[in-house]
Amino acid sequence: SNYKEDNVTIYKLLKIVNDRANYFFDNNYDFDLDYILSDKKLHLYKSENNFFESFDPNNFVHIIKARIESYTKVKTKENYQAFYNVFVKFYGENVNTNKINQVFSYDFRKKIDDANYSSNHKNGLIKCFTSTYKFACENRWIENPYPITIKKYEHQTQDRNISDEDLTKIIND
């Protein structure tokens, strides 16, 4: 075979792959190499991957969903899903990403105070909130990121003293 023709074919294929990869980059999609290398139509990628179809980085609730999707461990996803549920209960489905700042974080902490959750659950919610905020900053979805700190709750230890009655049972058994 003619090497010049082969080089032209290779060049054309590389250009197609490059254009497809650029489409993913331009649309802020995670690179899906199998899809990029396939002959599937690019505009259908959004409908095949429903999460990205309506993703709006200006809505912090969408960023929480993206954060959930970024994890593979089931337990971690469950923790972030619990955070998502609480956040939506407090603020609704549409929260302007660029309104998230230190004042907003104070309000969030007050709301979880008022909700009367355990200190462990509150700390989990705080961790998910700050982690999601950092995730948004890392992806440049927040225009002017502010350092946000939320004071965690002290761990509430349970009363572990053994009653005289229980001590007697232990000794006599």
Side-chain angles (χ1 to χ4, degrees):
S1 103
N2 182 345
Y3 77 91
K4 286 184 180 180
E5 288 174 10
D6 290 345
N7 284 348
V8 168
T9 303
I10 290 169
Y11 175 79
K12 286 180 182 176
L13 290 173
L14 285 174
K15 179 155 179 19
I16 291 169
V17 170
N18 186 57
D19 290 346
R20 291 176 68 86
N22 282 334
Y23 177 86
F24 274 70
F25 179 79
D26 292 342
N27 288 287
N28 284 330
Y29 297 152
D30 285 336
F31 283 97
D32 182 341
L33 189 59
D34 292 332
Y35 204 96
I36 290 170
L37 295 176
S38 75
D39 59 355
K40 294 179 182 177
K41 300 205 179 304
L42 287 175
H43 70 277
L44 295 178
Y45 183 75
K46 285 167 59 173
S47 58
E48 285 186 12
N49 190 337
N50 288 334
F51 170 69
F52 289 109
E53 190 166 346
S54 62
F55 179 73
D56 177 8
N58 295 313
N59 184 350
F60 195 70
V61 173
H62 288 210
I63 293 173
I64 296 170
K65 289 179 185 176
R67 189 66 174 146
I68 294 168
E69 293 298 317
S70 74
Y71 288 109
T72 55
K73 289 185 178 177
V74 173
K75 185 64 180 159
T76 306
K77 283 182 175 263
E78 288 172 354
N79 290 338
Y80 278 82
Q81 185 64 49
F83 163 64
Y84 168 84
N85 294 341
V86 167
F87 192 87
V88 167
K89 184 171 89 175
F90 291 159
Y91 298 103
E93 291 279 347
N94 193 359
V95 177
N96 183 330
T97 300
N98 289 299
K99 299 278 186 213
I100 306 293
N101 55 27
Q102 187 65 52
V103 173
F104 187 95
S105 70
Y106 291 145
D107 182 68
F108 177 71
R109 191 176 195 279
K110 180 169 180 358
K111 286 185 185 299
I112 59 176
D113 273 344
D114 296 344
N116 204 20
Y117 297 123
S118 73
S119 61
N120 283 349
H121 187 58
K122 290 176 187 178
N123 286 337
L125 294 171
I126 289 170
K127 180 181 177 215
C128 291
F129 177 80
T130 55
S131 171
T132 302
Y133 180 80
K134 287 176 187 171
F135 177 71
C137 292
E138 289 165 3
N139 284 287
R140 296 190 173 117
W141 293 326
I142 294 184
E143 292 169 11
N144 298 308
Y146 303 94
I148 286 183
T149 57
I150 304 178
K151 188 174 191 259
K152 291 206 171 183
Y153 296 84
E154 288 185 31
H155 179 69
Q156 297 168 337
T157 57
Q158 295 176 342
D159 182 13
R160 296 180 181 213
N161 294 331
I162 298 176
S163 68
D164 290 339
E165 183 181 324
D166 289 339
L167 187 58
T168 305
K169 285 181 186 176
I170 294 169
I171 293 172
N172 292 333
D173 284 345

